[in-house]
């Protein structure tokens, strides 16, 4: 079975994707390894931390766009490293300029450097500004159903509640809140953060049973095993 062929398409901001897996582009040893990992995952949307990754900010350095061209992948610039709304908005306006008007972005406004938990007050503020500025905003948020609803009401293109803390690999800690968000959302729900270990079979169950997608960081994990798990290439027996 090919990856994702048993899943309905994921539609975000009017564009359809056969893969429900979004992957990050950080933590690899070089751009060649990044390209190989993204290709192996089958992901069509790749997140890029604008403050950490060169996509043209420095013309004298290699650009990620040379190995992940926008004609082949949907580049999702994000605001990793931003701790207030103003910095996040400024970063995404720079990304739009570098990507020739590309308007699909991932907003994340962090609360502190230790937990990387979202600052929801600043997130809501930034989301409102970006939507008014004609961005299509996918937004990292807490697993609070009320906050997710507020972001949808602002006009965000997708909500991205955390499964657990960024980089923790702890998996889905509160499936009940996620289920409430998914059941009530009228926009796509992308389960974000804390998912990234091959043993986290719960995310496969989520992908199978709920109309949701997953955004994960696979660098440094057991890649072959993780790709099989998260692209749907395992049978139910293998998951049991």
């Amino acid at each position: 079975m090919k990856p994702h062929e048993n899943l309905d398409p994921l539609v975000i901001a009017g564009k359809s994707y056969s893969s429900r897996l979004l992957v990050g582009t950080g933590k690899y040893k070089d751009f060649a390894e990044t390209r190989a990992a993204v290709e192996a995952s089958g992901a069509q949307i790749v997140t890029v931390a604008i403050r950490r990754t060169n996509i043209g900010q420095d013309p004298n350095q290699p650009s990620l766009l040379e190995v992940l061209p926008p004609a082949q992948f949907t580049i999702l610039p994000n605001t990793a490293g931003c701790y207030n709304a103003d910095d996040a908005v400024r970063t995404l306006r720079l990304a739009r300029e570098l990507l020739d008007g590309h308007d699909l972005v991932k907003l994340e406004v962090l609360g502190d450097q230790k937990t990387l938990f979202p600052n929801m007050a600043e997130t809501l503020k930034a989301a409102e500004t970006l939507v008014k500025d004609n961005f299509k905003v996918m937004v990292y948020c807490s697993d609070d159903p009320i906050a997710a609803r507020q972001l949808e009401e602002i006009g965000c293109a997708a909500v991205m509640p955390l499964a657990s803390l960024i980089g923790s690999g702890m998996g889905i800690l509160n499936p009940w809140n996620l289920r409430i968000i998914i059941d009530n959302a009228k926009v796509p729900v992308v389960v974000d953060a804390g998912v990234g270990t091959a043993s986290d079979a719960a995310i496969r169950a989520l992908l199978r049973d709920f109309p949701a997608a997953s955004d994960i960081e696979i660098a440094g994990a057991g890649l072959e095993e993780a790709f099989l798990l998260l692209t749907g290439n395992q049978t139910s027996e293998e998951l049991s």
Side-chain angles (χ1 to χ4, degrees), residues 45-50 53-57 63-66 68-79 91-106 135-136:
I45 303 175
V46 293
T47 63
V48 180
I50 298 302
T53 305
N54 185 41
I55 60 168
Q57 302 95 311
S63 169
L64 180 68
L65 302 184
E66 296 169 6
L68 296 176
Q72 185 175 356
F73 299 94
T74 293
I75 305 299
L76 187 64
N78 71 36
T79 57
T91 298
L92 291 178
R93 284 173 174 162
L94 171 63
R96 181 164 63 181
E97 181 178 341
L98 292 169
L99 292 169
D100 299 322
H102 178 78
D103 56 9
L104 183 65
V105 297
K106 179 184 176 184
F135 282 91
K136 298 169 184 175

Side-chain angles (χ1 to χ4, degrees), residues 94-222:
L94 171 63
R96 181 164 63 181
E97 181 178 341
L98 292 169
L99 292 169
D100 299 322
H102 178 78
D103 56 9
L104 183 65
V105 297
K106 179 184 176 184
L107 169 66
E108 50 185 272
V109 184
L110 305 177
D112 65 77
Q113 295 184 10
K114 183 177 181 180
T115 68
L116 303 181
F117 205 80
N119 180 329
M120 290 311 302
E122 289 293 294
T123 297
L124 288 161
K125 178 181 175 183
E128 188 167 3
T129 298
L130 291 165
V131 169
K132 288 179 179 178
D133 201 14
N134 298 315
F135 282 91
K136 298 169 184 175
V137 182
M138 301 176 65
V139 54
Y140 169 62
C141 59
S142 67
D143 62 358
D144 176 358
I146 304 305
R149 186 184 69 196
Q150 290 172 329
L151 290 165
E152 181 178 339
E153 290 171 348
I154 285 172
C156 291
V159 293
M160 305 179 69
L162 53 77
S164 53
L165 299 181
I166 292 175
S168 69
M170 291 189 294
I172 300 173
L173 297 184
N174 194 341
W176 311 113
N177 274 27
L178 293 179
R179 186 63 193 249
I180 292 170
I181 293 172
I182 291 165
D183 284 348
N184 289 282
K186 296 181 177 63
V187 297
V189 176
V190 181
V191 180
D192 194 9
V195 178
T197 61
S199 61
D200 186 15
I203 190 61
R204 179 64 182 101
L206 182 70
L207 289 171
R208 182 175 64 242
D209 296 336
F210 299 162
S214 178
D215 180 20
I216 67 164
E217 190 69 61
I218 50 181

Side-chain angles (χ1 to χ4, degrees), residues 17-100:
Y17 301 91
S18 59
S19 173
R20 287 173 172 261
L21 177 64
L22 288 66
V23 296
T25 52
K27 300 183 181 179
Y28 296 101
K29 67 179 180 181
D30 54 34
F31 283 163
E33 185 177 81
T34 304
R35 169 75 188 205
V38 171
E39 282 192 330
S41 75
Q44 297 165 293
I45 303 175
V46 293
T47 63
V48 180
I50 298 302
R51 290 188 158 205
R52 302 171 188 160
T53 305
N54 185 41
I55 60 168
Q57 302 95 311
D58 186 346
N60 299 315
Q61 295 295 323
S63 169
L64 180 68
L65 302 184
E66 296 169 6
V67 295
L68 296 176
Q72 185 175 356
F73 299 94
T74 293
I75 305 299
L76 187 64
N78 71 36
T79 57
C82 291
Y83 291 86
N84 61 67
D86 290 343
D87 284 351
V89 169
R90 190 179 305 112
T91 298
L92 291 178
R93 284 173 174 162
L94 171 63
R96 181 164 63 181
E97 181 178 341
L98 292 169
L99 292 169
D100 299 322

